[in-house]
Amino acid sequence: MTATLTAPATNTELAAFPALAACALPYWPIWAAAQFASTEEHKQLLNFVHVFKEGDVFQIESTDGHRAFRYRFPAGGDNYRLNAWEFPDNGLLLHAAPLRKAVPLAKILTVSKDLRAYIHGGKKKAVVELASYNLAGFHGVNTTKDAEFHTYPKINCLWPDQFTNNIGNPWSLNAKYLKEWFAVVEKLSPSGVTKMQGNSPVAPFVFSCNYREDLGGYPDALLECLVMPVQIRD
């Protein structure tokens, strides 16, 4: 069943939680990112959704080593909607496990100054704390500074600068990866349509879609998923 979605919280609603929230993030891109994080415990940091600020842009991202997700949106400015106002300089790590199940009517996810994550909204319009997951020294919410012996992959380096879309030879993609991306598109895209771009059968393919503005999406901000092709064996 498709979860019922709702519009993002307003600044007035956020003002009710000044002592609780150190930062506020759009819930649905966080949920989407959780779908593409690793479920293998030995991969440690890849079990997390990574959120960081780069210049005047926030990025929500995840990867399991075979595919990667990102959503980049403006940090403040005239188009301010839901941004972090006391965001840690080193970014945040949110464990993906308690985030994978969609919360109907959810609006935002806030992180408190003592690094507890809360989902605002739901059927009862409540504020619910996420379960804390311990994993190899990590907890449900961390700053990336806390993971001093580990570094989250720089997934932006994987994104092609441009696309020829002249693939040439046949290529193969993992059906499970496509299914999970299509589920995100169906839920969060206003048109239910995804764009696919690539350069060769052995280079990453990038899928993208618009994000519904009634859920807090920005006109030029895309949900993106990079998928590595599967090697074809004759």
Side-chain angles (χ1 to χ4, degrees):
M1 180 180 293
T2 301
T4 302
L5 308 184
T6 190
T10 64
N11 291 346
T12 301
E13 290 175 285
L14 287 177
F17 308 100
L20 172 68
C23 66
L25 298 164
Y27 170 74
W28 289 104
I30 294 284
W31 166 81
Q35 311 308 309
F36 306 102
S38 178
T39 58
E40 300 177 57
E41 292 188 5
H42 70 275
K43 290 188 175 181
Q44 298 185 317
L45 282 187
L46 301 193
N47 287 230
F48 289 78
V49 173
H50 183 217
V51 186
F52 68 98
K53 185 178 181 182
E54 184 178 57
D56 59 355
V57 172
F58 283 114
Q59 179 160 320
I60 297 170
E61 63 180 13
S62 63
T63 181
D64 63 2
H66 303 286
R67 55 190 172 162
F69 170 89
R70 73 179 184 182
Y71 175 63
R72 294 168 62 83
F73 62 103
D78 295 337
N79 291 324
Y80 173 87
R81 293 178 187 173
L82 287 174
N83 290 342
W85 56 86
E86 294 183 16
F87 197 79
D89 291 339
N90 293 285
L92 287 173
L93 295 167
L94 305 171
H95 202 296
L99 292 166
R100 286 194 178 93
K101 184 177 180 180
V103 178
L105 302 177
K107 294 184 176 181
I108 60 173
L109 184 145
T110 59
V111 177
S112 65
K113 295 178 181 178
D114 60 351
L115 296 181
R116 294 177 179 272
Y118 300 83
I119 292 176
H120 299 242
K123 293 181 179 179
K124 298 182 179 180
K125 298 183 179 180
V127 179
V128 180
E129 183 176 1
L130 276 150
S132 177
Y133 276 68
N134 295 324
L135 176 66
F138 298 106
H139 302 281
V141 182
N142 295 77
T143 68
T144 52
K145 184 178 180 180
D146 296 329
E148 57 182 314
F149 300 113
H150 305 270
T151 301
Y152 201 89
K154 297 184 183 299
I155 67 168
N156 287 343
C157 295
L158 300 175
W159 250 261
D161 294 328
Q162 59 185 7
F163 297 96
T164 65
N165 293 319
N166 184 16
I167 311 302
N169 296 320
W171 69 92
S172 298
L173 297 171
N174 184 297
K176 178 177 181 291
Y177 296 166
L178 297 180
K179 177 183 177 181
E180 292 173 347
W181 167 247
F182 292 155
V184 168
V185 174
E186 183 180 18
K187 188 182 294 292
L188 301 184
S189 170
S191 64
V193 173
T194 183
K195 178 189 289 187
M196 174 183 172
Q197 298 187 90
N199 291 313
S200 83
V202 295
F205 287 84
V206 173
F207 296 82
S208 63
C209 72
N210 293 321
Y211 174 40
R212 286 171 48 181
E213 291 189 45
D214 63 313
L215 297 179
Y218 293 84
D220 299 325
L222 300 175
L223 302 172
E224 300 177 87
C225 184
L226 179 148
V227 179
M228 298 301 297
V230 179
Q231 182 179 357
I232 299 177
R233 299 184 184 277
D234 296 330

